[in-house]
Amino acid sequence: MAYHFLTLEVADRVATITVNRPDKLNALNDATVADLGKAIEEVRANGAVAGIILTGAGRAFVAGADISELRAKSATDAYTLARRGQEVFRRFETSPKPVIAAVNGFALGGGCELAMACHIRIASESAKFGQPEVKLGVIPGYGGTQRLTRLVGRGRALQLLLTGEMVDAQEAYRIGLVNRVVAAGESVVDAARAMLQQMLANGPLALAQCIDVVNRGADVAIESAGITLLKGDLTGILKARTLSRAVMRNIRQNLFFAFIYNALGVPVAAGALYPIFGILLSPIIAAAAMALSSVSVVGNALRLRRVNL
Ligand code: COA
């Protein structure tokens, strides 16, 4: 696929997306956001890719939304731009393949927001982070207010958001904004690659499930998150390619027959699925059990399709 403002390389199951507009410190103009959207779709769909690194060319990761473009926008245009950016960033966040932001320099405004949409942030010693939008009289539009609060807590998030101050890599590490700082002279991309290889030695479905339940769990009350976990585990077990073929065949057959029985809607089938209940319970209760089972089987079948590795 052709990109205007980024490069995309795949090697050893890792895709490296490099925002490549160094003369403007990789500021996010419309075309760069569009490129990022295309790139994340491409790597999510590419079966040869198991992990993703996002970095910037030159001395910046991304220095924010393109201010010169922003100036020319109406309120409606700005709203559309923010929505589009939010959707693209969310595709990074919900990628079933781990995404590491290798923050090589300035990560300001939309750049800090983009790094936060990645699963992990590794920063070079010279990296700088901040949400300076208030200095321009606006607020972070790509979800940064929410992600920053979740990462560093309300007080620290508000401090960064309200002052618009920049913090260095060590401070970002101290407050939990980044996972690791690499020493001067060490390559931040190499460090990201090493961490990814450690992750990719593990089961890909387990990685995808961890990302999914952490994402979903962060958005809901803890009680619901527990239920999410159970569902996630079930999907993981059903999808696990590492299970032996015999086990997978068995599961598929059970699902298939359960589905056929339920689809037929024959009370006898309910009896076959639930031998004791079918005999003992009244036909109405058996029918209710059958309906519940149908929902569960269809739900499982849908979930099976959803994780797209
Ligand atoms: N949008 C558009 N262009 C940007 C940009 C942005 N967010 N950030 C940097 N640039 C451009 C500069 O205009 C300059 O282009 P020019 O050489 O054509 O004039 C080039 O990138 C280099 O930036 P410069 O300011 O000269 O580098 P610096 O080292 O002196 O300062 C920063 C670096 C990051 C501190 C400074 O560029 C800055 O504050 N940028 C804006 C950050 C920001 O507010 N982001 C949030 C936007 S909502």
Side-chain angles (χ1 to χ4, degrees):
M1 210 176 277
Y3 296 104
H4 296 99
F5 294 118
L6 60 81
T7 60
L8 172 55
E9 288 161 17
V10 178
D12 297 332
R13 299 167 70 221
V14 172
T16 305
I17 301 171
T18 306
V19 183
N20 189 25
R21 214 187 158 213
D23 54 323
K24 296 293 175 191
L25 301 186
N26 304 322
L28 296 177
N29 58 2
D30 286 353
T32 309
V33 173
D35 275 358
L36 282 167
K38 277 192 284 179
I40 187 62
E41 293 312 325
E42 181 177 340
V43 295
R44 282 180 67 143
N46 185 345
V49 171
I52 301 155
I53 295 172
L54 178 63
T55 191
R59 63 192 178 98
F61 176 72
V62 166
D66 189 309
I67 295 170
S68 56
E69 253 191 24
L70 269 188
R71 273 202 207 101
K73 293 212 185 291
S74 67
T76 318
D77 288 347
Y79 177 79
T80 310
L81 175 79
R83 295 297 303 188
R84 196 178 313 129
Q86 285 168 20
E87 282 161 19
V88 169
F89 286 22
R90 185 73 177 149
R91 295 296 287 164
F92 279 84
E93 187 167 52
T94 58
S95 160
K97 306 168 186 186
V99 186
I100 298 185
V103 183
N104 51 303
F106 294 109
L108 302 174
C112 190
E113 293 180 284
L114 182 57
M116 289 191 289
C118 299
H119 302 135
I120 304 280
R121 284 147 296 284
I122 299 181
S124 67
E125 192 69 59
S126 60
K128 297 265 191 303
F129 295 80
Q131 297 291 166
E133 285 87 345
V134 284
K135 296 186 179 196
L136 303 171
V138 293
I139 72 164
Y142 293 142
T145 53
Q146 308 311 305
R147 294 192 179 101
L148 187 60
T149 306
R150 283 163 169 75
L151 273 173
V152 305
R154 197 146 63 139
R156 285 173 176 144
L158 279 169
Q159 183 183 336
L160 286 171
L161 291 165
L162 299 182
T163 62
E165 69 182 336
M166 259 196 263
V167 294
D168 64 18
Q170 288 300 347
E171 175 65 0
Y173 176 72
R174 193 186 68 80
I175 63 176
L177 180 50
V178 303
N179 299 69
R180 203 193 138 193
V181 180
V182 301
E186 209 186 314
S187 158
V188 72
V189 172
D190 285 351
R193 195 167 285 125
M195 189 186 281
L196 261 185
Q197 291 306 347
Q198 193 184 347
M199 292 175 182
L200 300 188
N202 303 316
L205 297 157
L207 298 182
Q209 286 293 300
C210 284
I211 293 167
D212 186 33
V213 295
V214 166
N215 276 344
R216 284 196 277 157
D219 294 339
V220 296
I222 196 76
E223 294 82 3
S224 315
I227 293 166
T228 302
L229 269 171
L230 284 175
K231 284 183 186 162
D233 289 345
L234 178 63
T235 315
I237 290 163
L238 291 175
K239 285 272 301 170
R241 286 179 198 157
T242 46
L243 283 182
S244 73
R245 285 186 174 192
V247 174
M248 280 307 285
R249 198 164 46 239
N250 207 359
I251 289 171
R252 274 198 214 104
Q253 276 169 0
N254 285 344
L255 277 177
F256 175 71
F257 285 120
F259 188 80
I260 294 292
Y261 286 144
N262 284 283
L264 287 174
V266 182
V268 173
L273 274 178
Y274 307 98
I276 300 168
F277 295 107
I279 292 161
L280 294 181
L281 300 181
S282 72
I284 293 171
I285 296 177
M290 194 174 63
L292 276 176
S293 176
S294 296
V295 169
S296 139
V297 167
V298 170
N300 280 334
L302 290 176
R303 277 197 289 276
L304 272 174
R305 294 220 176 96
R306 222 188 36 219
V307 179
N308 188 15
L309 288 174

